[in-house]
């Protein structure tokens, strides 16, 4: 617990998995005087109240952000531009604005276009944590514990605003790091967006095969492990893949090249090459996860 609230009024727009988990984590340590949940659906906001995730809810954006100290935008990427446009007219000048979007270049462009430039109190952010579930019912306070949060502050970003956002995420148990915008989008395209695209694509392909019932009947742990993330929200991942398409297509092209080489090695029964690839991948993954 922090001694007394660090942020007086925090507003979370989009109280879903990420926004709800942030609210729960900050509530658990008494970080805010008040957490206001804002969104489109009164039913979803009512659920957030019933679950004790937020202190108050608003469907009116102006009323929600009135006298806010920090506003966190945690809606799908495709909804950001319109939201920032509506925020531009009502956000208090002194308020720190941040977001949780999974790609950063697109969000920054949305903010630039909505506000006619980058507000100095805007701090782009991305928690590297999530599950295949969506909505406030799936949120939990420990989602960000020991996970990374990447901030991509811009030349215009005020240092105090950046420190405010970093301290907020640290209060959830996360480790905060900073990165350039383009670097963030390339790294996340390779490590997160490409694996999701591949999982969706594999399950789609297999589920359209004639003997799909037989295929899925005998699917074992490996299939389950590989495809868990294909249960993620299609709309959210559509938004991410389209918004971050340039780095994603680059990563996909590299993967396609290597997959074609691997297929050729298998076709020609080139055991040396197949084993070289598999051994290299096993070593890389074993080094990554030593559990
Ligand atoms: P989520 O569980 O589906 O929650 C999204 C929230 O946004 C809901 O509260 C939803 O409430 C609201 N919303 C949806 N469409 C909206 C619209 N058009 N206008 C206003 N509000 C809208 O999604 P999430 O997983 O928390 O993701 C939220 C953000 O975090 C996304 O930008 C995503 O890229 C990012 N992110 C996700 C993950 C992950 O693994 N899930 C990880 C890191 C970052 P209503 O429908 O009631 O409005």
């Amino acid at each position: 617990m922090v001694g007394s609230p660090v942020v007086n009024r925090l507003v979370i727009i989009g109280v879903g998995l990420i926004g709800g988990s942030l609210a729960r984590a900050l509530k658990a340590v008494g970080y805010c005087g008040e957490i206001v949940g804002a969104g489109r659906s009164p039913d979803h906001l009512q659920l957030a109240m019933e679950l004790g995730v937020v202190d108050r809810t608003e469907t009116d954006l102006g009323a929600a952000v009135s006298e806010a100290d920090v506003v966190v935008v945690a809606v799908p990427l495709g909804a950001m531009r319109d939201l920032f446009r509506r925020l531009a007219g009502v956000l208090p000048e002194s308020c720190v604005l941040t977001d949780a979007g999974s790609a950063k270049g697109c969000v920054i462009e949305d903010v630039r276009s909505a506000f006619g430039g980058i507000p100095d109190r805007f701090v782009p952010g991305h928690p590297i944590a999530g599950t295949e579930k969506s909505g406030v019912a799936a949120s939990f306070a420990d989602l960000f514990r020991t996970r990374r949060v990447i901030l991509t502050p811009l030349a215009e970003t005020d240092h105090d605003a950046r420190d405010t956002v970093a301290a907020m995420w640290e209060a959830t148990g996360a480790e905060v790091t900073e990165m350039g915008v383009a670097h963030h989008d390339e790294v996340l395209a390779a490590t997160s967006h490409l694996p999701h695209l591949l999982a969706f694509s594999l399950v789609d392909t297999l589920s359209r095969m004639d003997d799909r019932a037989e295929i899925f009947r005998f699917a074992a742990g490996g299939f389950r492990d590989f495809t868990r993330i294909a249960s993620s929200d299609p709309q959210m991942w559509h938004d991410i893949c389209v918004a971050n398409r340039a780095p994603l297509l680059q990563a996909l092209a590299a993967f396609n090249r290597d997959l074609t080489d691997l297929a050729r090695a298998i076709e020609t029964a080139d055991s040396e090459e197949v084993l070289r690839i598999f051994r290299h991948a096993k070593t890389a993954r074993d080094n990554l996860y030593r559990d």
Side-chain angles (χ1 to χ4, degrees):
M1 289 289 278
V2 292
S4 54
V6 179
V7 169
N8 188 27
R9 180 171 293 167
L10 179 102
V11 179
I12 298 179
I13 305 175
V15 192
L17 172 69
I18 298 298
S21 297
L22 175 62
R24 286 184 194 265
L26 295 176
K27 254 180 170 262
V29 294
Y31 200 77
C32 306
E34 183 186 43
I35 300 182
V36 181
R40 292 174 309 179
S41 154
D43 288 350
H44 292 165
L45 292 174
Q46 176 62 27
L47 179 60
M49 280 296 285
E50 282 166 15
L51 293 172
V53 172
V54 293
D55 301 309
R56 184 161 68 80
T57 65
E58 289 284 355
T59 48
D60 180 277
L61 203 56
V65 302
S66 161
E67 294 182 37
D69 299 296
V70 178
V71 169
V72 182
V73 176
V75 303
L77 287 179
M80 294 249 183
R81 181 166 291 223
D82 175 58
L83 187 70
F84 287 129
R85 280 203 181 122
R86 292 191 292 128
L87 261 183
V90 292
L91 193 72
E93 203 165 314
S94 61
C95 179
V96 172
L97 174 65
T98 187
D99 75 292
S102 301
K104 300 286 25 113
C106 58
V107 175
I108 291 162
E109 280 322 302
D110 288 348
V111 167
R112 198 188 302 280
S113 116
F115 287 82
I118 299 295
D120 60 359
R121 298 183 74 73
F122 171 55
V123 186
H126 178 200
I128 311 299
T131 74
E132 71 280 19
K133 306 261 179 11
S134 294
V136 70
S139 66
F140 57 101
D142 279 343
L143 177 61
F144 309 112
R145 184 159 299 286
T146 73
R147 309 301 294 275
R148 286 212 164 87
V149 172
I150 302 174
L151 303 183
T152 63
L154 302 159
E156 295 89 338
T157 307
D158 176 80
H159 287 198
D160 286 346
R162 183 198 60 198
D163 292 349
T164 298
V165 174
M168 176 192 78
W169 282 113
E170 277 162 2
T172 70
E175 184 192 324
V176 174
T177 52
E178 288 188 15
M179 240 185 219
V181 176
H183 186 50
H184 168 280
D185 286 356
E186 281 165 19
V187 169
L188 270 294
T191 55
S192 171
H193 309 168
L194 180 62
H196 278 82
L197 180 147
L198 296 179
F200 280 124
S201 179
L202 176 70
V203 178
D204 172 60
T205 300
L206 296 186
S207 65
R208 285 184 292 102
M209 287 180 170
D210 289 343
D211 50 354
R212 59 188 172 276
E214 199 65 353
I215 289 172
F216 289 137
R217 192 148 71 96
F218 291 105
F223 182 79
R224 194 186 172 105
D225 287 350
F226 189 89
T227 60
R228 176 183 63 80
I229 53 180
S231 286
S232 303
D233 181 40
Q235 182 67 50
M236 190 178 92
W237 283 97
H238 156 274
D239 289 5
I240 293 169
C241 290
V242 171
N244 202 31
R245 59 188 173 278
L248 175 59
L249 289 173
Q250 255 179 30
L252 184 59
F255 178 77
N256 269 334
R257 272 196 306 275
D258 286 357
L259 193 62
T260 304
D261 290 348
L262 178 57
R264 198 171 301 125
I266 288 175
E267 193 183 357
T268 57
D270 184 347
S271 301
E272 202 180 317
E273 179 63 358
V274 174
L275 280 169
R276 185 193 65 74
I277 293 167
F278 287 2
R279 285 185 180 130
H280 180 252
K282 175 174 166 49
T283 305
R285 194 180 190 284
D286 288 351
N287 285 338
L288 202 55
Y289 303 104
R290 295 177 179 279
D291 43 30

